[in-house]
């Protein structure tokens, strides 16, 4: 069924959006950069629906949207550089990559298993009103199918005809029209991961020299980040049995293991459980995590992409 389109300025439409998001559904909404395809960032299953709807071949980490700076720094650890750029550019078209704060409720699938989280306080006031009403961070990549251009009107979003999208909150044409600048301020030197309308020069004026991603460090495609989560234990794929010293990560009951990505064989459920279960099984003394085969169909491709990375030879 096609998603309904309602004005983001309408309190009743926002109330419906809050209900849908709290129930784990998908709502697209206007920001000043591009339209986002939103889900509750703390709900792994809801976030898995984003990847399924977009047809993403792998799990890239997603931005969590929050209504204000205080909420942002409750989720991610503020460094001096983070505070300086937040003061200057938030609310606005800037996303900060921060180390997870203690007890941060953002789902592991949202951050693709990373110890960092990407946070943005959008500049569009109606978007912030919505976020304040939801009271949870909202994960939202651009509301386009994988490989297509980002949407800057509600009609663009409607044309994507996403599976599972219930509501589009129309805020007119986006004023920026380009995805936010992504700045990693989790380390010593800030690093520009994605250029956007907040420029490198503007950032350097505030915090001094900024590293550029992509110069031999493979960070241009964050799905490929070397720091991407890989368990300490080895990972053995396409296992048909669990050997001595191993623990099993099952799919659809093939191994008879207690820990199963999805006993019913549902790829959305499996995606939602992937990072949390890999972490849970990654205990000292485990020689390997034996993973049952996961079919490639639908989200299976993204699940297998991540499993292959987790299993790849380590340096
Ligand atoms: O303008 C925007 O940023 C739009 C609107 C909807 O807010 N959102 C958007 O989200 O473009 P998304 O998920 O498509 O882009 C997220 C970017 C990607 O380049 C991703 O790899 C990077 O941020 N990213 C997210 N979390 C990260 C992390 N923990 N470390 C490094 N990069 C991260
Ligand atoms: Mg995009």
């Amino acid at each position: 069924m096609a998603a309904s389109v309602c004005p983001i300025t309408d309190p009743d439409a926002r109330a419906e959006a809050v209900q849908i998001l709290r129930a784990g559904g998908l709502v697209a909404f206007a920001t000043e950069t591009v339209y986002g395809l939103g889900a509750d960032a703390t709900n792994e299953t809801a976030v898995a629906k984003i990847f399924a709807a977009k047809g993403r071949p792998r799990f890239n980490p997603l931005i969590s949207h929050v209504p204000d700076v205080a909420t942002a720094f409750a989720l991610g650890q503020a460094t001096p550089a983070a505070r300086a750029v937040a003061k200057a550019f938030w609310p606005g078209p800037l996303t900060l990559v921060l180390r997870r704060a203690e007890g941060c409720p953002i789902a592991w699938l949202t951050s693709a298993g990373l110890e960092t989280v990407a946070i943005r306080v959008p500049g569009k006031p109606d978007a912030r009103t919505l976020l304040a009403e939801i009271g949870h961070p909202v994960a939202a990549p651009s509301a386009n199918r994988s490989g297509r251009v980002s949407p800057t009107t509600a009609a663009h979003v409607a044309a994507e005809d996403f599976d599972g999208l219930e509501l589009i909150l129309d805020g007119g044409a986006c004023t920026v029209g380009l995805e936010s600048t992504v700045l990693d301020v989790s380390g010593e030197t800030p690093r520009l991961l994605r250029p956007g309308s907040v420029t490198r020069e503007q950032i350097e004026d505030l915090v001094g020299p900024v590293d550029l991603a992509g110069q031999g460090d493979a960070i241009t495609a964050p799905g490929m980040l070397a720091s991407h989560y890989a368990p300490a234990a080895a990972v053995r794929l396409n296992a048909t049995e669990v050997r001595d010293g191993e623990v099993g990560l099952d799919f659809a009951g093939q191994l008879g293991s207690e820990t199963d990505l999805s006993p019913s064989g549902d790829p959305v459920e499996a995606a939602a459980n992937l990072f949390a279960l890999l972490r849970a099984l990654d205990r000292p003394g485990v020689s390997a995590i034996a993973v049952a085969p996961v079919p490639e169909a639908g989200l299976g491709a993204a699940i297998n992409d991540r499993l292959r990375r987790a299993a790849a030879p380590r340096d």
Side-chain angles (χ1 to χ4, degrees):
M1 216 186 66
S4 46
V5 182
C6 298
I8 194 170
T9 49
D10 175 1
D12 292 337
R14 290 198 310 270
E16 193 189 338
V18 168
Q19 258 185 7
I20 294 168
L21 289 165
R22 289 210 185 129
L26 300 182
V27 172
F29 62 100
T31 80
E32 77 281 20
T33 58
V34 299
Y35 277 70
L37 182 61
D40 180 346
T42 68
N43 178 337
E44 316 258 1
T45 306
V47 173
K49 290 181 191 168
I50 293 179
F51 290 106
K54 280 186 68 96
R56 275 214 176 172
R58 65 171 88 95
F59 302 123
N60 291 328
L62 303 178
I63 297 169
S64 295
H65 297 73
V66 297
D68 51 57
V69 177
T71 308
F73 290 142
L75 296 170
Q77 296 174 26
T79 56
R83 284 194 197 285
V85 289
K87 187 153 184 261
F89 302 114
W90 271 352
L94 175 71
T95 295
L96 296 182
V97 173
L98 306 166
R99 291 200 72 75
R100 269 176 187 271
E102 182 93 358
C104 172
I106 291 174
W108 288 109
L109 185 61
T110 307
S111 64
L114 295 171
E115 293 291 342
T116 50
V117 286
I119 312 277
R120 182 159 100 83
V121 181
K124 191 176 181 64
D126 296 315
R128 293 202 303 279
T129 303
L130 171 73
L131 293 166
E133 288 167 351
I134 292 160
H136 281 194
V138 174
S142 52
N144 53 278
R145 285 179 191 263
S146 192
R148 301 189 43 164
V149 295
S150 294
T152 54
T153 66
H156 294 162
V157 180
E160 296 286 359
D161 198 21
F162 289 110
D163 269 354
L165 175 61
E166 296 183 54
L167 176 64
I168 301 169
L169 289 178
D170 186 348
C174 300
T175 52
V176 174
L178 191 69
E179 292 90 344
S180 61
T181 303
V182 179
L183 185 72
D184 182 345
V185 280
S186 66
E188 291 261 301
T189 309
R191 189 199 299 257
L192 188 65
L193 299 182
R194 183 172 74 182
S197 66
V198 173
T199 66
R200 179 189 183 182
E201 289 73 19
Q202 285 177 299
I203 296 166
E204 291 192 328
D205 280 348
L206 282 175
V207 297
V210 165
D211 284 345
L212 284 187
Q215 292 165 347
D217 55 11
I219 277 179
T220 33
M224 313 285 273
L225 272 178
S227 63
H228 239 92
Y229 177 68
V235 175
R236 189 167 67 80
L237 300 182
N238 296 315
T240 52
E241 83 286 301
V242 181
R243 299 175 186 157
D244 275 356
E246 291 184 341
V247 291
L249 180 56
D250 213 344
F251 178 78
Q254 298 173 84
L255 302 174
S257 297
E258 199 178 312
T259 306
D260 197 320
L261 288 164
S262 171
S264 67
D266 171 8
V268 171
E269 183 184 25
N273 286 330
L274 179 65
F275 290 112
L277 291 185
L278 277 173
R279 282 174 182 274
L281 293 179
D282 191 15
R283 295 184 294 259
V286 168
S287 66
I289 301 173
V291 188
V294 176
E296 277 284 310
L299 270 188
I303 295 168
N304 285 324
D305 168 81
R306 196 53 86 217
L307 284 171
R308 278 191 294 273
R309 287 167 202 284
R314 322 253 170 91
D315 296 331

